[in-house]
Amino acid sequence: MTIYLRRFDQLELLLGLSEAQLNDPPLWLIKSFLPDARENGTISLFEVADRAEAQVIAAAFGMLRPKLKDRVGFLSCDADLLQQTGLKIAPTPGDLHHEFADGRHRDLHLATAADARTVAVAFAQGDPIQVEGKIVEQAAHTSIRLNQFACVTLAGRPETAGRHLLGFVRENIAVLQGVPAM
Amino acid sequence: MTSTDAVNQSDVIAELNRPLTPISSGQTPRLAPIVVLAKKTASTDGISANVPGYNETNPAALSPLGRRAVASIGTISANASFAGDKALTVQMQQLEVRTQRELKGLADQVARLTRLIEARVPDTPSAHIASSVLQVSQAALGSAEDDLGRAHILNLIADDQASFSGDDDQIVEAIHDGTPQVRAAAARALAAIRGKEAVLVLRAALDREENRFVATFIRSAIEAAEA
């Protein structure tokens, strides 16, 4: 069975959803399917066959974060259900520097917020997948052994490196000034 | 001067004594003052900063507010310690932590403390800081007065941001009887505490679970416990 994954780390929010909201999703869920300014009308999905493959995608995300052992969450949707929406799904290379994960990357084209709502309803029907930190770590080790990762560090990703640098400066300047950050 | 001496302990105390954010605008936090004990483990010349409401050496001297808090809540404490001759133990004890927001305030303070120590002890890699985690006692977990607060504490335990001491029966019970948020968090926490020993309990919970979103969390907890 093929499923599509959408990265979503706050799966706890789903625990508060009522049955009615599965067909009439709240705004926060719809917003998680809205492209941002850089995404040019598309959102990133990953096409996988099962939970094990989702763990590999999670490992790819994990390696690009400061804390590998943080859990990774995905919303999931049955491929047939998503294809029934008529929205265009195109394979495009991902940018996780992980051969398998980047090969499974898909762009979903959305024209309007109504499209995002349609997709949110479809994903609300699927079973989310959470990958605990311990599993992320194990999967990352496996990926390294299988030579799945390109040799790219955080510093090789300008936007990521910039975020870390800003965080570092913010925290340390605040400490030096005696004004705790947060 | 040793690296430990380089830590400006008065800064640490000031940091830890900083009041928490009020619960809501115009409302005074109902937290008892934070108690800070900072001492060098290699010697006895420790320092302590006792704030009104608590006396380290004579707990009986607690103010009425302090006594009430201790009696009803138990404690949540946080430790940041260095290894070897750089040993410095900083403990903070927070009384009357009940809500999610209060707990987050405490967690934020621990994070700030860690950064402070890291910044002031330049030769000590972060990895040498043994831990900067909340230690959640059974009593403290039981004292959380709302379900979101309990779920938050349990998630901290599950995410290795807090350790748990005491009997975990309460957590097992929560997997079966809590709200969806509590059931999900309790499953994760139990997997973190018991590891493989939790698998049978979690599988039984999964069999009974009717909420598919909660089931998601139990399933991932089982994976983690088995790993």
Side-chain angles (χ1 to χ4, degrees), chain B residues 190-191 194-206 218 221-227:
Chain B
L190 191 70
R194 283 199 190 169
K196 285 187 171 63
E197 288 176 19
V199 172
L200 282 180
V201 175
L202 293 172
R203 285 199 185 285
L206 183 60
I218 299 177
I222 292 172
E223 281 174 358
E226 287 175 333

Side-chain angles (χ1 to χ4, degrees), chain A residues 51 124 126 130 132 171 180, chain B residues 15 112 115 188 212 220 223:
Chain A
R51 196 174 176 84
Q130 174 155 263
E132 293 288 345
E171 289 177 8
Chain B
E15 170 65 17
R112 281 195 295 269
R115 288 201 300 273
R188 299 187 64 237
R212 67 188 169 92
S220 64
E223 281 174 358

